[in-house]
Structures are given as structure tokens and as C-alpha cells.
Amino acid sequence: MPEKPYNHQEIELKWSGRWSADRSLYKADDDGSKPRYYVLEMLPYPSGRLHMGHVRNYSIGDTLARYQWMRGYDVLHPMGWDAFGLPAENAAIKNKRHPAEWTVSNVAHMKKQLQRMGFAYDWDREVSTCTPEYYRWNQWLFLRMMERGLAYRKTSLVNWCPECATVLANEQVENGCCWRHETTPVEQRELDQWFLRITAYAEQLLDDMKQIEAGWPSMVLTMQRNWIGRSEGAEVDFGLKGSEEKIRVFTTRVDTIYGATCVILAPEHPVSRRLCQGELAARLKAMVDDQGRKDPENLVKEGFFTGHTAVNPYNGAEIPIWVGNFVLWGYGTGAIMAVPAHDERDFEFCTKYSIPIVPVIRPADGELAVNPAEAFTGYGVMENSGEWSGLTSEEGRRRMSEKAEREGFGKASITYRLKDWGVSRQRYWGTPIPVVHCKACGVVPVPDDQLPVVLPPDVEFTGRGKSPLANLKSFLNASCPKCGSAAQRETDTMDTFVDSSWYFFRYVDPQNTALPFDPAAVKPWFPVDQYIGGVTHAILHLLYSRFWCKVMRDIGLVSVDEPFKNLFTQGMVQLNGQTMSKSKGNIVDPDEMVEKYGADTCRLFTLFAAPPEKNMDWNESSVEGQYRFLTRLYKWVTRNADASEGDGAGDARALRKLHQTIRKLTSDFDNRWHFNTSIAALMELMNELQACETSMSAAVRRECASTLVLLLAPFAPFAAEELWEVTGHTGPVFKQRWPAFDADLAREEALEIPVQVNGKLRGRITAAHGSTREEQEQAALGDEKVQAHIAGKQIVKTVVIPGKLINIVVKG
RNA sequence: GCCCGGGUGGCGAAACUGGCAGACGCAACGGACUUAAAAUCCGUUGGCCCGAAAGGGCCGUGUGGGUUCAAGCCCCACCCCGGGCACCA
């Protein structure tokens, strides 16, 4: 057969046409006849265009999915859209385009791009989170959480732009100012908002890491562990002099409490507001609104005395109460006792404001400091601490919190850095929170049979005032489900992280109208065998998904503790060392490359450029190489699929390389996914096959040709499918059996063993398979070049690693 | 500041368990084909040195030390780059 030119346009057009016509092609059988394998890639936000990060993520996932099909698994490989979110609404404000319309057209375009790449998704399972069919289950699940006390309302601060008179998302705050009013400082306003009680699951989220340790990158688990930030200490009530009121502080070092020289409140603390009247009230508001506090790196510690006095419950000492900008309202109790002698931050603060420094802990092998120049933060022995003096810090911590508990002014306590998840958004483009506010009955859940609470289409987007939903009477006005009297709908919508916290369950049963999904249908597919996505989601999305899974388990919907057995985090695609992002304007669009070289080349290139877990700087100068490789391969296979007889002298050599390549690729897939080396191995095979092309027998040529196509199939599906057909085969190539390697055929004819003298390479010997250590050593000693380096010297030692290396150590 | 990654030719990288550093590809250079160019094919390509050549020697994986017959890989100290966390009491 004469060789054919590689026409990627023609080939990719032909096969994408056939593939999209056959909806059953990438369907999971889901009948239990084969072992199942669930490959999941993080669903994209439909920003409008695919970017290289998506291409990389989905190329990795698709390559794995196709490999697992070839290994005989029943593969579930779905795709969907994280379709709610702020950009759609910003577009609506700026361009007067409805978010729904904007989103739908973006989805349509991106779906075409994905199909153009040849990604093998079961599109019948497509999920788009902005459809009522999907978000109704967000609402349903939210109600279940309310029933369990896991969803609750609490007053909380939000960013507020006085110019727009609207709430701003954190990402709409730029340098402390509004994104649309660059000179208007953002203020903090109090609002009643909805929270999910993720902290109730903090211990489980930590404990269950045991179950996934083997399959997740340890870095991600470490990041989550730090994020949860478990910390053991004590809560203690300080009295407020002249009142019955108490101020509760959290400390990990109750053993230092005799050294407390003031109490410092977070500016947001309700007690701060009560104690700061008149002139102080203005100072307090300024501190609350100060956006500089969100940038802890440059925060200068500041505070002021409230004029009030606190009483230490252990020794009755009276100390001043301050407000400090570095005290976090969101952590612990929002109030601290300052022990400047034993805490660096307190030391800095108290030094600045000339508050006394009282050392009460001495190092186990040292003296108590006098006028210390810095805080001593280590554990040690307690001094000047009344009845506790002489105890170690560890013992003091334990016994002092026992006393607090016994006498009712405190307790041992575990605090988490993790906060409850604020899910309220004062936005339109999200899932409406399904409750109604009734004057008589309070907050009333919308009954299940009235779900979904649908987003009304006819709203106005001004970017001003309250949420667009709050301005729409037809949405706002409702009757109370309990008493029937006039009531108002909740106008907050849910954080979009809710949408992405459980979508991977819905894929299994995407059309279900009675439940989020049928537990029995979901069970055999979980946990997900392989989840793949950007390391940028290491904390929020992956933590929320783990939390949501546990809640759904407690509701009885799922039977696993953890949703993802294995996680792979790909590296970022960067340009000149910078993360690609819209704001930097350095997004690279794959279309141009696909147009010029084809999807196969594009896929090979993204996999070849770097190992998948590493960051990859975008530089397409080597893309030509991938195209050349595919061209050479394509020509070779078409030329040799039906070739004339050679003398067979090259058969062994070709088969050896072929089986070595099968072994290499199989091990890359099963162990470490270094597809860059897999593709390099395919190139080496190609080079070898070209070298012995004329000396191969027809049978071996055919075998090499078709096996090569199978090995290529996971990486370059279009070319592989075309070649599979050209070589006279039928059936989709990715449903063929992955080739098995033959260790005998893969073995080199003879061993070539490097010989070193004093650790420097001096020669090589060849040895037969199965030759003994002694034979190899003798051959090495007899080698001419080696002789030249050991002549006249004394052999101290010979190291022989049979079949690998020989090192002769000489001296003199 | 703390916790992770990483640093190897002109470039992307490889070296899988301490055992031949630089596979594979890009770029570059030389050659073949061509009126010419592109494409393609063949060859060279870490640096320095000796040699007419065949060939040979020395150096070389961020820096400095160490362990070892043997170190890109292990240990100690440090420098640089990337990421995460960061007044979390």
C-alpha cells in the first residue's frame, strides 16, 4: 500500500462527525458486566472559551479514560457546566445581556470546542448547574440541612459599596475599593445571612483523611489540614468591672494567664460596640471598615483603650480592655487576653502602647526573664502564678482549664480556623435559597412539593441597590406555606461552590425527577476512581465536596464517607512564568493551534511538554515536533499496513522495541502518568521501526503497525481511529484490548555492562544473559580500555552489580 | 515567618529503587533533493583541551561541605524561583 499523506483536517472532520452521530459510543454500560471505572474531571465554568488549562486537564482525563476502556473497564466519563456565577451577572450589568442567554451561548461554544478536541464524554449525562432540574436539588438538599440544623441564619458583615448601594463579592473589591468605583472605599455592613455548619464536620474531615491518604497528593491533605486548623486550648471568662457581664477569651496558653496585662477585643465584637461610645464609636467604625486589615502582611498593629476594666478570674487582677485591629472576630471568641511576655504579637502591641510586660514562664533550664527584649513563647515552668507556680506549662494548661470548668468560668476547648461556610449571595445568577419570611411564622422553608423556586427571567440588571430579585415584586411576594398570610421570599442565592459540591453524583442519574439521584444507582460508581483537576481547588471545592458527601451520607443518599478515592492535581499552565488569567490578558486560546495542526497534535503537545503534575510554561515552539511525529507515524503505518515481504532480519529488533514500548507505556499508565515519557517512548519506537523498515517480514510489519496504532489510541484518538480503519480493522480502536507485552521478546540480545575504574566510566563489556558475577568481573578486568587504567595499580576492591555495572577500585 | 514543590545543555525535558547524566523533542549548524525556497531525508550538537585522524583526557545537574566503591538522587548549611498559609491567640 502506498503511504498516505497525513491530512489532519480531513481525518478529524470525518471522525468527529461519526462520533457525534453515535451517542452510544462513550456510554457507560452500567450493568455490572465489567468492573467499573469512574474518571472525573473538574467541570468548567462556561466563561465563553476553552483555555489551555482546560485542554490540559481534559487531555489527561481523556487519555486515562480511553486507556481504561482498552483495559476492559466499564468507564464512566461525564462532563458538565458550573454554570452559575458572578461573571454572567457582570456581563448582564455591562452589556445588557441576560445571564441565562450569555451562559447558554458560552456553553454551546465550549461544548463544540470540547468535541473538536475529541474528548470522549457521555453527553447524555451532561449536567448544567443553572437549570431548574439541577438547582432544585440544591434547594432540596438545603432544606434537608435546615432540618438538621446544618443550615442556619446569622448576622454577618458584607462588603458594601455606598456608590452602587450594593453588596460586593470579595472578588469585586479591588485595593479596598469597588470594582466599578475605583475611588470609593468599601464599607462593612451587617446583614442576616445563611451559613452551612461545616464546622460540625471538622473532626470527620480530619479523621477521614486516613481513607484517602493513599490516593491524594499529600500536599492537598496538608493544605486542608492547615485550613481546618484544629487547635486545643481553653476558653476563660474575664469579668467586666462594674457589671455582671463577662468577656470570654480563647487561649492555647492558659498557663500564661497570670501574665495577662490587658484584654483585647476584635473591633467587630459586640462588646466593643457597647463599650465604645461617643468619640470612640467613630474610631471603632473606621477600624471595622479599614480594608487594610484584609492584607495582614502590611497590617500595622493598632488599638485604643476603651476606658473599661477586665477582671482575671484566676487572680482577680484588674487589667484594661482595649480594642485591637489585629484581633480576628472570626476566630475563637473574637477576644484575647494579651500576654506580652509570652506571645510575639502581644509583645509588639503592648510595647507600642506601654502596657506592662509580666513574665510568668521560665525556660525549663533557665531563669525567669526580667525586662525581656522579646517574648518567650516556649513551654516551660510557671512562676509568679499563685498556687500554680512550679507546674510545667503542659500540666498547668490541663489543670487550669479543669478548674475553670469546675468553677464555671470557662472550659477546655477546641477551636478551628475553619469557619462555617457563608453561602448567601446577594446576587441573581445562583440558586434561590428556598425559604419564605413570614411576619407571624418567621423563616419558613418552602415545602418540597413546591420546589424548585425558579429564578424569574424578567429582572433588571442595574448593578445598584439590593439583589435584582429583591426588586421584583412578583418574585418577592409570596404567601406563607405555614399560615397562608402574605410573606416575602428570601432573595439571597447560594454560593456557586454549592453547585459543584455534588454534581459528580448527579452524573450517575442525571434525569432523576424524584430525588437528586437514586442511591442504588450511585452506589456502584462510588467513590470516584480518579478525580483530576487544578491544584487551585485544593482547598475550597475539594473540602466542600468532602463535607457535602458526608452530609448526604447522613441523609442516607450515599454510602461512602469520601467522594474521591484518587485525586490527581495537574500543574498550572503559565505564560512567561505567570498564571494565565483574564485580568492579565494573557489567555492562550487553543483554537488557533487546533486549526493549524489538529486536535491530536494539540493533545500530544500538552501531554509531551511537561509531566502533568508540574507547572508548564506555555511555549509552543516545539509543537511542530508533535505534528512531524504524527505525520511520520501516519505515513509509516499506511505504507506498511499491507507491505511486501522483507528478509525478516530486522524482525527481532523491531519486536524487541515494540514490546519494550508496550511495557513502558503500561507502566506509565499504571504507576505515574508521566505521559511525556510515554510519548517519547512512542517516538523512539517510531525511529526504530523506520530504521529496520526494509528488513522486516510482512507479518511483523503488520503486527508492528497495528500495535503501534493501539498504543497511540489513548493520546491521539483521531489519527488512531483512522489508522485502525486503514489497516483493515473494524470497531472503535479505544474499545480494543490494550496490547500485552512479552518479556522474552522485549529482552535485549545481550547485556551491555558499563565498567568503571574508581567510579569513572572507562569501558563496556557485553555479557550473555545468565552469565555469572565472576564471568562478568573477569570480562571487565580483561577489557582493553579498563586494563589501561588499572595497569600497575593495586586493586582494592571490585563492586559488581550483575548485569548493571562494575566498578573497580584501585590505588597507587 | 511557617509548610510544600522545584533549580539538570541555547530551550521543554529524561534519568522509575544510590549504579552509563542529558533519552525524546525544539532550536541551531552541515549535507542530500530542488533553478530556488518550503516540506522531507541524512548527519552534528553540554563545556574545555590534546590529536591530521582514529581516538583520548579533564570539567559538568543552584552554592559550600559530608556520607559512599559510586550522589542529579541521601545528610547538613545556604542561595534563588514557584505555590499555599499567615497576626488563628
Side-chain angles (χ1 to χ4, degrees):
Chain A
M1 191 188 285
E3 70 177 32
K4 285 180 143 190
Y6 172 54
N7 183 335
H8 70 265
Q9 269 125 351
E10 192 181 296
I11 293 166
E12 295 188 359
L13 190 69
K14 166 179 164 187
W15 287 102
S16 51
R18 291 206 197 169
W19 291 341
S20 54
D22 181 0
R23 295 189 79 96
S24 69
L25 197 61
Y26 302 128
K27 248 188 178 2
D29 300 337
D30 203 5
D31 59 4
S33 61
K34 293 179 200 158
R36 298 168 201 252
Y37 196 93
Y38 189 173
V39 191
L40 177 72
E41 294 123 56
M42 290 182 183
L43 85 178
Y45 177 75
S47 58
R49 310 193 69 83
L50 224 50
H51 59 69
M52 291 316 309
H54 295 130
V55 170
R56 191 175 194 200
N57 189 172
Y58 304 149
S59 294
I60 295 165
D62 197 59
T63 296
L64 178 69
R66 289 174 183 275
Y67 172 73
Q68 297 298 6
W69 263 309
M70 294 179 83
R71 292 305 294 248
Y73 285 96
D74 184 17
V75 175
L76 176 60
H77 192 215
M79 185 44 70
W81 309 97
D82 186 16
F84 271 139
L86 195 56
E89 205 161 328
N90 288 346
I93 295 167
K94 281 190 172 158
N95 310 327
K96 301 282 166 221
R97 242 181 123 186
H98 196 277
E101 194 240 324
W102 184 86
T103 304
V104 166
S105 79
N106 284 352
V107 163
H109 180 75
M110 289 175 77
K111 187 169 176 180
K112 266 196 209 118
Q113 287 184 301
L114 290 176
Q115 287 171 328
R116 179 72 190 81
M117 290 304 299
F119 297 137
Y121 300 122
D122 179 355
W123 285 110
D124 285 350
R125 295 177 183 274
E126 180 177 1
V127 161
S128 184
T129 59
C130 67
T131 58
E133 293 76 28
Y134 184 83
Y135 69 69
R136 116 174 239 187
W137 300 112
N138 283 345
Q139 296 172 339
W140 187 89
L141 288 160
F142 186 90
L143 296 176
R144 300 293 85 76
M145 289 199 183
M146 273 180 81
E147 288 162 6
R148 287 159 188 267
L150 294 173
Y152 66 95
R153 252 159 91 81
K154 180 176 87 173
T155 305
S156 169
L157 291 170
V158 293
N159 302 308
W160 177 267
C161 173
E163 199 73 30
C164 306
T166 198
V167 173
L168 299 178
N170 284 334
E171 38 305 12
Q172 289 173 324
V173 180
E174 293 166 2
N175 308 319
C177 294
C178 171
W179 63 306
R180 297 168 73 208
H181 300 97
E182 287 165 23
T183 54
T184 308
V186 169
E187 297 177 6
Q188 300 297 302
R189 283 257 174 128
E190 280 194 338
L191 233 53
D192 268 349
Q193 302 201 71
W194 288 94
F195 287 82
L196 299 184
R197 209 180 294 280
I198 189 171
T199 52
Y201 285 79
E203 281 302 315
Q204 283 186 50
L205 287 165
L206 286 171
D207 281 352
D208 289 349
M209 286 185 185
K210 288 189 204 87
Q211 297 185 32
I212 50 180
E213 241 161 24
W216 282 43
S218 55
M219 180 178 66
V220 174
L221 294 178
T222 304
M223 284 165 71
Q224 291 201 356
R225 212 172 277 123
N226 292 341
W227 187 261
I228 294 169
R230 185 182 194 276
S231 163
E232 287 183 30
E235 289 177 20
V236 176
D237 291 330
F238 278 73
L240 177 58
K241 197 182 175 192
S243 112
E244 286 302 297
E245 202 169 339
K246 306 283 183 202
I247 296 171
R248 177 157 280 210
V249 305
F250 172 73
T251 176
T252 54
R253 292 297 302 274
V254 70
D255 57 305
T256 66
I257 200 165
Y258 281 69
T261 52
C262 65
V263 163
I264 311 177
L265 305 174
E268 297 88 348
H269 200 294
V271 172
S272 300
R273 207 165 325 162
R274 220 156 330 120
L275 298 187
C276 296
Q277 300 297 334
E279 188 199 339
L280 288 183
R283 284 182 80 173
L284 187 68
K285 176 164 170 26
M287 197 177 273
V288 169
D289 285 338
D290 178 16
Q291 290 291 318
R293 293 179 67 215
K294 291 189 176 171
D295 176 19
E297 200 169 349
N298 302 315
L299 182 69
V300 180
K301 285 186 184 55
E302 276 172 4
F304 56 86
F305 177 45
T306 60
H308 294 265
T309 301
V311 183
N312 184 330
Y314 284 92
N315 60 359
E318 298 192 354
I319 54 179
I321 300 174
W322 285 60
V323 174
N325 65 347
F326 68 103
V327 178
L328 303 171
W329 174 227
Y331 181 77
T333 61
I336 63 165
M337 61 176 201
V339 184
H342 302 295
D343 181 286
E344 284 166 18
R345 299 152 300 181
D346 298 345
F347 186 88
E348 189 190 331
F349 186 84
C350 292
T351 305
K352 176 169 178 174
Y353 292 107
S354 305
I355 298 166
I357 295 167
V358 179
V360 293
I361 303 288
R362 65 166 174 85
D365 55 357
E367 297 297 312
L368 189 69
V370 183
N371 297 324
E374 56 178 17
F376 168 63
T377 59
Y379 282 172
V381 179
M382 298 171 61
E383 297 287 350
N384 297 333
S385 299
E387 63 192 285
W388 314 96
S389 296
L391 294 181
T392 62
S393 293
E394 290 88 341
E395 214 181 340
R397 286 179 63 194
R398 200 184 67 245
R399 286 171 52 180
M400 289 175 83
S401 36
E402 280 166 14
K403 175 181 166 119
E405 182 136 22
R406 208 164 47 238
E407 302 191 0
F409 63 82
K411 61 174 185 180
S413 156
I414 293 166
T415 293
Y416 301 91
R417 208 195 78 106
L418 181 72
K419 294 176 214 164
D420 275 343
W421 175 10
V423 292
S424 273
R425 298 290 179 272
Q426 291 72 39
R427 303 277 143 204
Y428 168 76
W429 196 231
T431 304
I433 291 177
V435 301
V436 162
H437 300 275
C438 169
K439 281 217 174 73
C441 312
V443 174
V444 183
V446 173
D448 285 357
D449 60 12
Q450 289 172 32
L451 297 183
V453 175
V454 178
L455 276 179
D458 49 342
V459 291
E460 229 194 309
F461 299 96
T462 58
R464 300 185 56 83
K466 291 189 226 164
S467 156
L469 290 176
N471 296 327
L472 192 70
K473 294 277 176 292
S474 59
F475 179 82
L476 193 61
N477 295 330
S479 58
C480 172
K482 240 187 210 164
C483 69
S485 59
Q488 292 202 322
R489 265 190 209 291
E490 171 67 61
T491 58
D492 281 359
T493 53
M494 296 182 201
D495 180 6
T496 57
F497 274 113
V498 168
D499 310 332
S500 54
S501 291
W502 67 281
Y503 72 100
F504 37 88
F505 288 108
R506 180 75 178 171
Y507 280 147
V508 174
D509 189 14
Q511 312 298 335
N512 201 319
T513 54
L515 280 172
F517 46 83
D518 175 2
V522 153
K523 194 172 179 195
W525 288 105
F526 274 80
V528 170
D529 294 283
Q530 188 65 59
Y531 196 23
I532 305 167
V535 69
T536 36
H537 297 104
I539 298 174
L540 295 182
H541 163 59
L542 288 166
L543 193 66
Y544 292 150
S545 297
R546 293 181 58 216
F547 160 59
W548 207 268
C549 179
K550 291 173 199 307
V551 172
M552 292 200 293
R553 175 203 60 199
D554 293 348
I555 293 171
L557 285 169
V558 306
S559 47
V560 289
D561 296 321
E562 289 289 333
F564 315 121
K565 188 165 64 184
N566 296 295
L567 172 72
F568 187 90
T569 48
Q570 92 215 37
M572 291 182 297
V573 181
Q574 300 175 314
L575 196 66
N576 304 323
Q578 298 227 291
T579 323
M580 288 189 186
S581 75
K582 238 186 201 146
S583 56
K584 291 190 190 124
N586 60 350
I587 306 260
V588 176
D589 196 297
D591 281 1
E592 207 178 302
M593 191 177 194
V594 172
E595 178 61 33
K596 191 163 170 198
Y597 298 103
D600 280 341
T601 298
C602 189
R603 293 172 59 138
L604 279 177
F605 173 71
T606 51
L607 295 177
F608 183 76
E613 74 279 6
K614 272 187 64 177
N615 286 353
M616 157 181 158
D617 202 65
W618 187 254
N619 179 349
E620 42 178 273
S621 63
S622 79
V623 69
E624 295 271 0
Q626 307 309 310
Y627 189 74
R628 280 201 275 265
F629 164 62
L630 272 183
T631 306
R632 281 196 302 143
L633 186 148
Y634 191 84
K635 288 182 180 170
W636 194 90
V637 172
T638 53
R639 194 163 66 223
N640 288 281
D642 180 19
S644 56
E645 197 73 38
D647 62 6
D651 284 1
R653 185 177 158 194
L655 287 173
R656 189 183 310 130
K657 193 70 183 179
L658 180 72
H659 283 269
Q660 288 173 349
T661 309
I662 300 172
R663 178 172 58 196
K664 162 81 178 141
L665 262 61
T666 307
S667 125
D668 277 346
F669 271 114
D670 292 345
N671 299 321
R672 54 174 209 166
W673 294 12
H674 277 200
F675 299 132
N676 53 330
T677 65
S678 310
I679 294 166
L682 282 172
M683 289 172 167
E684 281 187 58
L685 172 61
M686 194 63 248
N687 294 342
E688 194 80 346
L689 290 178
Q690 268 180 339
C692 41
E693 182 169 355
T694 51
S695 56
M696 291 160 71
S697 66
V700 169
R701 250 183 246 217
R702 270 197 302 276
E703 187 189 333
C704 286
S706 49
T707 306
L708 176 59
V709 172
L710 293 174
L711 294 176
L712 180 73
F715 305 99
F718 292 100
E721 202 66 68
E722 175 69 12
L723 287 170
W724 194 242
E725 191 179 78
V726 167
T727 52
H729 299 89
T730 52
V733 66
F734 72 95
K735 293 281 179 79
Q736 307 305 313
R737 256 217 120 59
W738 181 254
F741 79 91
D742 181 326
D744 289 334
L745 290 174
R747 186 167 34 216
E748 294 291 346
E749 243 163 25
L751 297 167
E752 190 183 66
I753 305 170
V755 184
Q756 300 177 334
V757 177
N758 286 350
K760 288 186 177 170
L761 182 70
R762 296 302 183 186
R764 279 168 215 283
I765 57 160
T766 52
H769 287 287
S771 57
T772 64
R773 165 189 284 266
E774 287 69 28
E775 286 163 348
Q776 293 179 11
E777 184 175 340
Q778 285 314 308
L781 290 169
D783 183 81
E784 225 178 286
K785 289 172 188 160
V786 173
Q787 279 286 332
H789 285 93
I790 60 175
K793 295 178 180 168
Q794 185 196 344
I795 297 178
V796 180
K797 175 176 189 178
T798 335
V799 182
V800 182
I801 317 294
K804 271 268 180 188
L805 176 134
I806 296 164
N807 189 12
I808 300 161
V809 186
V810 296
K811 86 175 175 195

